[in-house]
Amino acid sequence: AQSVAQPEDQVNVAEGNPLTVKCTYSVSGNPYLFWYVQYPNRGLQFLLKYITGDNLVKGSYGFEAEFNKSQTSFHLKKPSALVSDSALYFCAVRDLGGNMLTFGGGTRLMVKP
Amino acid sequence: EAEVAQSPRYKITEKSQAVAFWCDPISGHATLYWYRQILGQGPELLVQFQDESVVDDSQLPKDRFSAERLKGVDSTLKIQPAELGDSAMYLCASSLAGGTGELFFGEGSRLTVL
């Protein structure tokens, strides 16, 4: 069975500093990996995905993520955090050829002015 | 920009009552998903449709939950009777058929069972 772990419940960072939100996954075969963001009382918004190719994936709002197959990780990064980036972030995985998208437990990002 | 529509946005009900949620996916999206998200947790898949057929409902509590997508377009998720533990956000999402596509989520329906 596939699974996703987000080891940090919350990440705190000062505005202007770089941020990293961690994600590791377990899946049989090659993974499809996704990051979503959720603002309070809203649905999830797609940020970026890794399917194949370059290990560094660029997405919406200046976010990027680095796929590391040997470490089975897909960490979300941004060079300079904004207060408006404060939200709940979810990593998700789908196995190659599979249908079900499995989400991690989420990491709350707090960016302070 | 096309969106996934869900209603109602908020629902308060008493336990043992029936409740229903509706979802209209993005036009042309063959795959439709219902997820349940308990506060502070990640979404968990309840049921997945491919057109009008159920692909996966292994996590759907079938004694009280039902879902249908009769014409392969919009979908209804029903709970009867509702229990206190059903309080959660119910998220609908859709995607193009195939494994690489991202899911597009609606705004969700927040259920509170008293």
Side-chain angles (χ1 to χ4, degrees), chain A residues 13-104:
Chain A
V13 64
E15 188 174 31
N17 284 0
L19 69 88
T20 298
V21 182
K22 296 179 180 177
C23 170
T24 58
Y25 65 90
S26 174
V27 69
S28 54
N30 292 322
Y32 296 157
L33 293 156
F34 302 80
W35 276 101
Y36 285 82
V37 61
Q38 186 178 34
Y39 296 98
N41 287 315
R42 305 294 294 277
L44 277 69
Q45 297 177 29
F46 169 75
L47 280 179
L48 50 80
K49 66 181 178 183
Y50 171 81
I51 304 301
T52 186
D54 193 348
N55 288 343
L56 185 63
V57 179
K58 294 189 182 296
S60 306
Y61 313 119
F63 284 93
E64 57 190 27
E66 186 169 12
F67 172 65
N68 187 317
K69 187 172 183 178
S70 63
Q71 297 185 5
T72 61
S73 67
F74 190 55
H75 301 332
L76 181 70
K77 300 180 180 183
K78 188 174 183 180
S80 179
L82 299 173
V83 172
S84 58
D85 292 331
S86 298
L88 198 53
Y89 290 81
F90 291 97
C91 182
V93 68
R94 173 190 281 157
D95 67 345
L96 186 67
N99 289 308
M100 190 167 70
L101 190 64
T102 300
F103 286 86

Side-chain angles (χ1 to χ4, degrees), chain B residues 12-83:
Chain B
I12 300 174
T13 191
E14 294 184 347
K15 67 178 183 178
S16 80
Q17 296 299 305
V19 61
F21 304 111
W22 176 80
C23 172
D24 191 12
I26 292 172
S27 179
H29 281 193
T31 310
L32 184 147
Y33 312 77
W34 283 102
Y35 280 85
R36 177 170 60 185
Q37 184 181 22
I38 296 171
L39 191 63
Q41 299 181 19
E44 295 178 322
L45 182 68
L46 290 174
V47 61
Q48 178 180 338
F49 289 92
Q50 182 69 30
D51 299 309
E52 67 275 8
S53 300
V54 173
V55 172
D56 186 342
D57 64 355
S58 57
Q59 300 303 311
L60 187 71
K62 298 181 185 64
D63 57 335
R64 298 184 299 108
F65 286 65
S66 64
E68 61 183 17
R69 193 184 184 197
L70 294 176
K71 297 183 179 179
V73 181
D74 60 337
S75 175
T76 301
L77 177 70
K78 297 179 180 178
I79 308 174
Q80 181 172 19
E83 296 181 352

